[in-house]
Amino acid sequence: MLEAGLLRPAAVEVLRRNDLGTVTSAAPDLYPHQWSWDAAFVAIGLSRVDVRRAVTELRSLLSAQWSTGMIPHIVFSPRVDDYFPGPERWGTDEAPAKPAGVRTSGICQPPVHAIALRHILDRGRENGGADAEAAEAFVAETFDGWLAWHRWLATARDPDGVGLVEIHHSWESGFDNSPRWDGPYSRITAGEVPAFVRRDTLHVGSSAERPSDGEYTRYLWLVEQMRSVHYDDDRILDIGDFRVRDVFFSAILAAAAEVLAGIADELGRTDDAAEQRATAARFRAGVAATVDPVTGLARDYDVLAEEWIGPLTVAGFAPLVAGADGVDGADLLARQRGILLGQQWMGHPALRYPLPPSTSPASPGFRCRTYWRGPVWPFLNLLLGWACARDSAWQLRGVLREASLEQLGDLTFAEYYEPITGEPLGSHDQAWTAAAALEWLG
């Protein structure tokens, strides 16, 4: 493993180079804007070296919150135009809920933000002085914004009240081209999609690492559908071709709501704390109810096809993120940890490092170099490690930490890694990868 004395300054330098002033670009070439859940992980890493800059990161993101409570998945920098699909393709200026003066996409990403907020608060208090004051003031000032975000997800995105967040585009999951979405996309016949020229394939070693043009056409068709109804939550339910209850997104909401409840307690907002604990319990139960009794993995649900989606992807370990209640819940988590450490996953003999691939090598859908179809994602390992610490699962956390630091020792800070060879793939100098390194180092 590379000495921490080399890894830490290299990670800090990545965040410095990606700093656009008040936001951090996800990656300097491929992702030159601010992404929602990237920003949360970036804030976690920044809190280890500059609490007040971490505050600025989340403050900037929250300034783009829609009046409904939604936090958009991209906030476009006015300094950069070289990205597709850009704000013109999204057309969100036509959406009544979008705030004036900012350019954003029209969809969301998983709500890791309360977890980042907790990190900022804890690091600020550890440092004391101006850092503590800045962190505590920020949390108090912005609490209502994070609360509105969770409330929107728990209502607009759980229209049937089943404790699972419904997504309307695979980009909302963050697992863009995962085998999880093959079934739903196979049933979509794209209508008229304006001509487009992709830019993402220009910034990777091979176009095989990225989604295909056919996949991209369907992605853009869903954008056209949502744009046609000005991103109105209710109307999307009637016209959208992609409606899936995302179990991993739901698990993150469960975890984040529990964290936000703890923050609410500290602020003396007891009613809000009780509400968030109820939200957390509802979505934990929703996640647990999806578990396949045969595989032991959680599943998504295709609302339009009325069927479960259960390929062998890392999303199947959603209960480990959500947490669990009672003896049955503890048994579920113990079983999942055993599966994750087993030979279909972290214990697979072909892996370069014992880290979870995004799709199991035992799956027929496994593609070792293709985005969410096999590669290892460092930020995801950090999230699993955080959940392990919350639940005192120290053995699994130790394996994740040691292997992650070994992997990140190449100093490329890659977006994702080939699981068999350990080769860095996708964009290099990825901000949330650097942030993960800083948080693992502590």
Side-chain angles (χ1 to χ4, degrees):
M1 181 174 70
L2 189 72
E3 292 296 327
L6 297 176
L7 183 56
R8 188 186 304 277
V12 171
E13 177 61 16
V14 168
L15 294 181
R16 186 197 65 78
R17 287 200 306 267
N18 291 11
D19 192 339
L20 300 179
T22 59
V23 303
T24 302
S25 68
D29 297 318
L30 184 53
Y31 306 109
H33 302 285
Q34 184 185 46
W35 266 255
S36 174
W37 72 331
D38 294 62
F41 286 100
V42 167
I44 289 171
L46 281 171
S47 72
R48 289 288 179 182
V49 294
D50 188 341
V51 165
R52 281 170 280 181
R53 180 60 185 82
V55 164
T56 298
E57 191 70 29
L58 289 191
R59 189 189 303 280
S60 296
L61 178 67
L62 196 60
S63 70
Q65 185 174 32
W66 288 29
S67 62
T68 56
M70 184 188 81
I71 295 177
H73 98 296
I74 303 175
V75 182
F76 293 104
S77 169
R79 296 164 52 179
V80 182
D81 290 321
D82 188 22
Y83 179 78
F84 181 84
E88 292 77 17
R89 177 69 69 142
W90 286 98
T92 53
D93 285 345
E94 305 161 6
K98 186 188 77 67
V102 294
R103 302 186 304 172
T104 80
S105 65
I107 59 175
C108 64
Q109 279 184 325
V112 194
H113 311 92
I115 298 171
L117 201 65
R118 179 81 259 175
H119 279 76
I120 289 172
L121 193 56
D122 289 347
R123 300 295 84 76
R125 287 172 173 168
E126 287 170 6
N127 296 347
D131 280 354
E133 291 177 8
E136 291 177 346
F138 175 67
V139 168
E141 171 196 339
T142 61
F143 180 85
D144 285 322
W146 309 117
L147 183 64
W149 168 221
H150 283 196
R151 284 174 171 170
W152 177 79
L153 289 170
T155 53
R157 289 308 186 90
D158 186 16
D160 300 316
V162 296
L164 292 169
V165 175
E166 183 176 309
I167 62 171
H168 301 141
H169 198 298
S170 64
W171 286 345
E172 293 196 303
S173 72
F175 291 49
D176 300 12
N177 72 329
S178 171
R180 299 165 68 190
W181 318 129
D182 287 355
Y185 275 124
S186 73
R187 290 182 278 275
I188 293 176
T189 301
E192 184 176 347
V193 174
F196 61 94
V197 177
R198 294 173 61 179
R199 300 182 186 274
D200 59 313
T201 53
L202 302 177
H203 300 293
V204 295
S206 167
S207 60
E209 296 177 24
R210 304 291 297 176
S212 69
D213 285 350
E215 289 171 308
Y216 237 81
T217 297
R218 288 189 285 275
Y219 298 159
L220 293 172
W221 167 242
L222 296 179
V223 172
E224 291 298 315
Q225 285 192 311
M226 290 183 280
R227 181 175 178 171
S228 73
V229 295
H230 308 305
Y231 300 95
D232 181 278
D233 293 327
D234 293 331
R235 295 175 69 190
I236 288 170
L237 298 179
D238 295 328
I239 59 97
D241 285 339
F242 189 99
R243 292 184 57 191
V244 177
R245 295 171 185 162
D246 180 340
V247 72
F248 202 81
F249 196 126
S250 303
I252 292 174
L253 178 58
E258 194 69 47
V259 170
L260 196 63
I263 294 173
D265 279 334
E266 294 182 27
L267 295 174
R269 301 182 59 155
T270 54
D271 290 346
D272 295 328
E275 175 195 319
Q276 287 303 291
R277 286 202 172 88
T279 295
R282 175 175 137 213
F283 283 88
R284 277 196 300 269
V287 168
T290 73
V291 173
D292 185 330
V294 176
T295 67
L297 299 181
R299 297 171 290 180
D300 304 297
Y301 184 78
D302 187 332
V303 175
L304 297 178
E306 299 182 337
E307 65 182 30
W308 290 106
I309 303 169
L312 299 179
T313 78
V314 71
F317 297 100
L320 293 182
V321 174
D325 297 313
V327 174
D328 289 344
D331 289 345
L332 169 60
L333 298 195
R335 182 186 181 194
Q336 283 228 314
R337 291 183 195 114
I339 296 170
L340 185 57
L341 287 164
Q343 290 202 343
Q344 286 192 327
W345 292 94
M346 292 167 63
H348 193 283
L351 297 183
R352 175 66 179 84
Y353 301 105
L355 292 168
S358 47
T359 300
S360 170
S363 168
F366 177 71
R367 302 290 182 271
C368 62
R369 303 180 67 85
T370 306
Y371 214 41
W372 281 98
R373 292 179 173 268
V376 173
W377 289 73
F379 85 92
L380 195 56
N381 299 328
L382 183 71
L383 180 62
L384 289 168
W386 170 83
C388 286
R390 177 199 62 198
D391 297 334
S392 300
W394 300 114
Q395 178 193 1
L396 177 55
R397 186 184 187 279
V399 175
L400 288 166
R401 181 182 186 274
E402 182 177 354
S404 291
L405 289 173
E406 288 276 2
Q407 181 185 67
L408 298 173
D410 69 353
L411 301 185
T412 62
F413 302 102
E415 184 180 6
Y416 45 92
Y417 288 78
E418 211 272 20
I420 310 301
T421 66
E423 177 188 352
L425 298 173
S427 176
H428 290 194
D429 293 332
Q430 194 83 14
W432 63 359
T433 304
L438 290 172
E439 180 59 18
W440 279 127
L441 290 169

